[in-house]
Amino acid sequence: MTGRRAFLAGALSLPIAAQARGAEQWDAVVDPATGTLGAALAEAEKAGRPWRILLKPGLFTEKLTVRVPGLTLQGSPGTVIEYGTASGTPKPGGGTWGTGGSATLTIAAPGVALRELIVINSFDYIGARRDGSGNGAQAVALAIGREADRTTVDRCTLLGYQDTFYVQARSLVTGTRITGGVDFIFGGGAAWFERCEIVTRYVPDTDSFGYVAAPSTPAAQEFGLVFSDCSLLRENGVPEHSTWLGRPWRAGGNMALTGEAVFLRCFMDGHIRREGWTWMGYKGPDGEPRRLTPPEARLWEFGTRGPGAAPAGTDRRLLTVAEAKRFTRAKVIGF
């Protein structure tokens, strides 16, 4: 074995020969002490077929994009993928990253499965707030791009502060812990979140602890971000009635975006504000600042419980039993 193949064999801990862990077979097994996930993904792209990659425990400090359709990325207990880039920070070769480009891990191919991974954007959000630097400090941990249809995220942990999880394509998210503060689950994709823990982070020296969801769903798209049997929790120090369920995002002032987010049978701790939802600003076609308000968007609840599950109000609307039946996994994402 010579050249590039020999290098990858050492770097990835036997990446070419399929390996077994229990009954499962792997095209690559990557140990962060000896190899990189980036090299394994490059080899998968060369193969031109779906690959199965097992990551051993440890820290992968890499900023990566998955471009292989049907790829499976399986973590082990303690597998961490971490990077620290935010919107407005410099890019290699010049310019700066935007919000989407800030992601630690980006999915840019259909049918990708992520399992048992910890994905972190380690940008110093607290320090940026303290120093007054950064453009709001948007720093994405996981981005699912428009081309990444039928992505699955299972038993993962996604950790950031602002804009943790960007969802732009049909996605299934199960048993996953998503942690952040400002608009930390956002985007225009249709996504079904099931049995997830959604955790608001503590930020010192602030009275408001942000917004859980910021949907930018197209008006012509029937479904947006749907949370089924999830738990909305908080870190120590996050006070009562300090966190909005979310606000509708009219990205770029696009009038065709109305935003849909629905919470079904979710537990809500006492940090959730009684008003539930609030408005989000944008510039209209005339360039003037405007607000997209909750009544103009599609923001709903059904069967929520816990101290944060307040009664219905003008901006906090409840689905009827008949209306709630329309929201099923099969209808929302089709897989």
Side-chain angles (χ1 to χ4, degrees):
M1 188 184 298
T2 60
R4 178 179 175 83
R5 187 181 175 103
F7 168 77
L8 286 171
L12 300 179
S13 298
L14 305 180
I16 306 302
Q19 301 186 37
R21 183 189 181 193
E24 300 221 47
Q25 300 292 317
W26 308 99
D27 296 291
V29 177
V30 189
D31 186 335
T34 57
T36 68
L37 175 54
L41 291 175
E43 194 72 5
E45 288 187 45
K46 286 176 54 181
R49 60 173 177 82
W51 254 43
R52 295 173 56 80
I53 299 174
L54 173 66
L55 301 180
K56 290 189 173 183
L59 177 63
F60 294 85
T61 302
E62 302 181 63
K63 181 176 171 58
L64 301 165
T65 298
V66 176
R67 297 186 177 88
V68 180
L71 182 135
T72 296
L73 198 54
Q74 171 72 55
S76 306
T79 298
V80 178
I81 303 171
E82 171 272 331
Y83 212 78
T85 301
S87 176
T89 58
K91 295 170 61 173
T96 58
W97 295 108
T99 298
S102 72
T104 298
L105 182 62
T106 299
I107 310 304
V112 172
L114 308 177
R115 298 178 183 144
E116 298 183 87
L117 299 171
I118 301 170
V119 183
I120 301 173
N121 192 313
S122 58
F123 173 74
D124 185 7
Y125 176 85
I126 301 297
R129 279 180 56 88
R130 181 188 61 240
D131 301 337
S133 61
N135 176 26
Q138 297 95 340
V140 177
L142 175 62
I144 297 174
R146 289 185 176 88
E147 61 276 73
D149 188 44
R150 300 172 68 92
T151 296
T152 61
V153 181
D154 181 41
R155 294 165 292 154
C156 291
T157 295
L158 310 179
L159 186 63
Y161 276 95
Q162 183 167 347
D163 295 2
T164 303
F165 189 15
Y166 193 10
V167 185
Q168 289 288 81
R170 286 191 301 167
S171 303
L172 173 63
V173 186
T174 53
T176 289
R177 184 178 177 90
I178 307 165
T179 303
V182 179
D183 304 328
F184 64 98
I185 303 172
F186 72 111
W192 180 266
F193 297 82
E194 187 170 303
R195 304 183 314 279
C196 293
E197 290 186 345
I198 300 165
V199 184
T200 296
R201 301 197 75 173
Y202 174 72
V203 177
D205 302 319
T206 185
D207 296 323
S208 176
F209 283 77
Y211 318 85
V212 172
S216 59
T217 322
Q221 183 175 302
E222 186 175 4
F223 298 108
L225 308 177
V226 181
F227 301 87
S228 175
D229 299 290
C230 295
S231 296
L232 276 62
L233 308 173
R234 54 179 160 170
E235 291 184 343
N236 290 336
V238 176
E240 297 285 296
H241 314 307
S242 62
T243 303
W244 298 96
L245 286 176
R247 53 185 180 171
W249 176 34
R250 186 159 274 166
N254 184 347
M255 300 299 290
L257 303 179
T258 57
E260 181 185 75
V262 180
F263 290 91
L264 305 173
R265 301 173 302 277
C266 292
F267 171 83
M268 298 182 179
D269 204 352
H271 64 303
I272 298 300
R273 297 176 65 112
R274 298 204 181 280
E275 306 96 316
W277 309 91
T278 190
W279 57 272
M280 194 175 205
Y282 68 97
K283 286 188 177 180
D286 56 4
E288 292 298 315
R290 301 185 184 181
R291 293 180 176 184
L292 181 59
T293 65
E296 296 175 273
R298 295 171 286 164
L299 309 171
W300 304 98
E301 294 173 63
F302 175 78
T304 51
R305 64 193 190 281
T314 302
D315 291 348
R316 193 163 187 180
R317 296 171 290 176
L318 304 184
L319 297 168
T320 66
V321 172
E323 289 169 337
K325 288 181 178 178
R326 185 167 65 91
F327 293 90
T328 67
R329 171 178 157 182
K331 290 179 180 178
V332 172
I333 59 174
F335 67 97

